[in-house]
């Protein structure tokens, strides 16, 4: 029974999450089934880690084939999947080099280290003076360094002392960002759409302005596409919608196909080339299983099918949600198959909305009070999109 399984888990885990009381036992495509046999439409998709749905046959086949060969060598050796994965991902990104890791937070830590080293060795910033500019309400992970520049007190409070070297400016405020740049600034680190904050889309011209001011001041533009990238918004990368090319892409989540944790950073040789052997690494980073699955993910993205689905079905999703504005919803934001929805707090909290939707067989996640997020897998159908919107309409009464 679900109640027993929830209580069992609560007894044996640190309470670092507040999950909905559903215990999933099986998943396929856009659907999951709990231990009691009830089916749910998964409209969270593992925070975009499941862009290709649960158990996509191409990804599962790639994993199974590699499981029969070799799964881990460490970077002490080279394996036959490593070079092809790095080349194929670099080509997808339009960059020269790739550095694979495991989790999104590791990709962010990698980007921070590379930017600082680049600043000292290439830009000539005095040692220990490098500064990275970030945005308010960012979410880049929960390591000690990353939460040092978070403005989310749940993520930050009581974990000090904090890592120096960061300046926080309002998201979307180009003037504030420009004013913060000085001779020691080595990078600007931004999400092209802020996911955890409620799928916040920046104002028109903002990202192009960031690109212009960073280029003019010899500052790296680091683009965190861990949640927004790999098809979610209708392009390989959300920043592509603006015509902007950053100096580095930070990738994760969907890169592992919902099978294994895979992350990476991609940049040109003049940036990533500052790293030398022994200066950064990971035992599991770029392992054979991860590379095999990652190659299959890149292969799926090459078809363009999933990006097109995100565009077409995203229009359908947002049109349906816009019809609910003024009827229990205050605002809707997003791009492609990604939406942040502000529930009228006079009706209910975001958590309450998620619980009611769960009862009706739709799984979503709340954030920041009365906001909920929808990010269904890119394999979702039009009928399933309509179902999710209608169930939300029912919840709103």
């Amino acid at each position: 029974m679900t109640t027993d399984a929830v209580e069992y888990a609560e007894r044996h885990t640190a309470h670092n999450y507040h999950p909905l009381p559903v215990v999933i036992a099986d998943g396929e495509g856009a659907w999951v089934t709990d231990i009691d046999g009830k089916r749910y439409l998964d409209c969270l998709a593992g925070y975009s880690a499941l862009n290709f749905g649960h158990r996509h046959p191409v990804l599962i086949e790639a994993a199974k084939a590699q499981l029969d060969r070799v799964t881990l060598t460490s970077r002490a050796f080279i394996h036959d999947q490593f070079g092809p994965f790095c080349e194929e991902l670099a080509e997808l990104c339009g960059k020269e080099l790739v550095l694979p890791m495991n989790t999104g937070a590791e990709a962010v830590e990698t980007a921070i280290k590379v930017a600082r080293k680049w600043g000292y060795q290439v830009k000539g910033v005095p040692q220990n003076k490098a500064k990275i500019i970030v945005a308010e309400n960012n979410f880049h992970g929960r390591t000690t360094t990353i939460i040092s520049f978070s403005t989310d007190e749940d993520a930050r409070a009581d974990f000090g002392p904090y890592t120096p070297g960061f300046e926080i400016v309002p998201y979307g405020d180009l003037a504030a960002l420009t004013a913060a740049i000085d001779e020691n600034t080595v990078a600007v680190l931004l999400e092209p759409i802020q996911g955890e904050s409620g799928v916040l889309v920046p104002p028109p011209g903002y990202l192009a302005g960031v690109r212009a001011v960073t280029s003019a001041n010899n500052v790296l533009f680091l683009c965190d596409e861990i949640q927004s990238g790999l098809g979610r918004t209708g392009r390989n990368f959300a920043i592509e919608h603006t015509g902007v090319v950053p100096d580095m892409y930070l990738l994760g989540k969907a890169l592992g196909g919902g099978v294994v944790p895979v992350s990476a950073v991609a940049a040109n040789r003049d940036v990533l080339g500052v790293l030398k052997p022994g200066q950064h690494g990971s035992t599991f980073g770029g392992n054979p299983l991860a590379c095999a699955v990652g190659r299959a993910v890149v292969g799926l993205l090459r078809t363009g099918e999933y990006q097109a689905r995100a565009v077409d079905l995203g229009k359908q999703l947002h049109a349906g949600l816009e019809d609910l504005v003024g009827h229990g919803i205050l605002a809707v934001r997003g791009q492609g198959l990604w939406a942040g929805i502000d529930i009228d707090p006079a009706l209910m909290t975001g958590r309450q909305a998620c619980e009611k939707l769960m009862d009706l067989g739709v799984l979503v996640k709340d954030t920041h009070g009365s906001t909920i997020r929808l990010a269904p897998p890119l394999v979702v159908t039009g009928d399933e999109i309509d179902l999710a919107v209608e169930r939300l309409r029912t919840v709103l009464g």
Side-chain angles (χ1 to χ4, degrees), residues 27-50:
E28 184 174 7
W31 292 84
V32 295
T33 305
D34 71 11
I35 59 173
D36 297 321
K38 181 176 178 178
R39 296 179 76 233
Y40 303 84
L41 181 61
D42 181 359
C43 286
L44 182 63
Y47 303 100
S48 291
L50 287 155

Side-chain angles (χ1 to χ4, degrees), residues 4 52 67 71 96 106 154 171 201 211 275 286 315 324-325 336-337 369:
D4 294 337
F52 307 99
L67 283 168
T71 57
E96 295 173 340
E106 285 178 282
D154 285 339
Y171 186 65
V201 180
R211 176 71 283 183
L275 287 180
K315 290 176 182 176
L324 300 180
V325 173
L337 276 174

Side-chain angles (χ1 to χ4, degrees), residues 18-341:
H18 185 204
L20 292 170
V22 56
V23 182
I24 295 166
D26 185 60
E28 184 174 7
W31 292 84
V32 295
T33 305
D34 71 11
I35 59 173
D36 297 321
K38 181 176 178 178
R39 296 179 76 233
Y40 303 84
L41 181 61
D42 181 359
C43 286
L44 182 63
Y47 303 100
S48 291
L50 287 155
N51 277 4
F52 307 99
H54 295 270
R55 295 192 297 123
H56 190 292
V58 170
L59 304 180
I60 295 300
E61 180 57 36
K64 286 180 175 178
Q66 193 61 40
L67 283 168
D68 284 335
R69 298 179 64 245
V70 61
T71 57
L72 179 65
T73 61
S74 87
R75 288 295 305 282
F77 314 104
I78 299 171
H79 57 81
D80 63 352
Q81 295 293 320
F82 185 74
F85 170 63
C86 292
E87 179 187 26
E88 291 160 15
L89 182 58
E91 182 182 5
L92 184 79
C93 297
K95 299 296 184 183
E96 295 173 340
L97 300 179
V98 161
L99 198 164
M101 297 293 283
N102 308 287
T103 65
E106 285 178 282
V108 177
E109 291 277 358
T110 300
I112 290 168
K113 289 177 69 176
V114 168
R116 286 175 170 178
K117 192 169 185 64
W118 175 88
Y120 299 134
Q121 293 197 343
V122 177
K123 186 173 181 176
V125 172
Q127 282 293 320
N128 299 319
K129 297 294 185 181
K131 182 175 82 173
I132 295 175
I133 297 171
V134 297
E136 286 180 354
N137 302 315
N138 68 77
F139 183 83
H140 298 287
R142 292 190 178 93
T143 65
T144 305
T145 292
I146 294 170
I147 59 96
S148 295
F149 56 85
S150 173
T151 55
D152 181 349
E153 282 304 298
D154 285 339
R156 191 174 191 274
D158 295 327
F159 295 118
Y162 301 111
T163 306
F166 303 95
E167 183 169 347
I168 303 169
V169 298
Y171 186 65
D173 188 336
L174 184 60
L177 187 149
T178 302
I181 293 177
D182 60 27
E183 66 276 7
N184 294 329
T185 304
V186 298
V188 171
L189 169 61
L190 294 174
E191 301 156 87
I193 296 175
Q194 288 192 326
E196 187 71 16
S197 290
V199 194
L200 302 183
V201 180
Y206 174 66
L207 294 172
V210 173
R211 176 71 283 183
V213 73
T214 52
S215 296
N217 287 277
N218 195 23
V219 170
L220 298 178
F221 185 3
L222 314 178
C223 187
D224 182 342
E225 293 269 8
I226 292 165
Q227 237 185 117
S228 59
L230 306 183
R232 170 56 55 190
T233 67
R235 302 291 292 269
N236 286 333
F237 310 108
I239 201 168
E240 287 185 272
H241 291 283
T242 68
V244 170
V245 178
D247 296 293
M248 184 184 293
Y249 292 105
L250 286 59
L251 305 174
K253 294 194 185 299
L255 191 57
V259 180
V260 286
V262 184
S263 69
V265 298
N268 286 335
R269 198 173 304 274
D270 59 346
V271 176
L272 267 180
V274 301
L275 287 180
K276 299 297 183 287
Q279 295 176 349
H280 189 59
S282 161
T283 300
F284 284 87
N287 68 74
L289 182 59
C291 288
V293 173
R295 291 184 69 190
V297 166
V298 172
L300 291 176
L301 289 167
R302 280 204 203 99
T303 69
E305 173 190 350
Y306 298 93
Q307 297 90 324
R309 291 183 64 82
V311 171
D312 294 339
L313 293 169
K315 290 176 182 176
Q316 181 178 340
L317 172 64
H318 285 274
L321 294 174
E322 288 291 344
D323 283 344
L324 300 180
V325 173
H327 303 280
I329 289 178
L330 300 181
V332 176
R333 298 169 301 278
Q335 193 160 33
L337 276 174
W338 203 17
I341 304 161

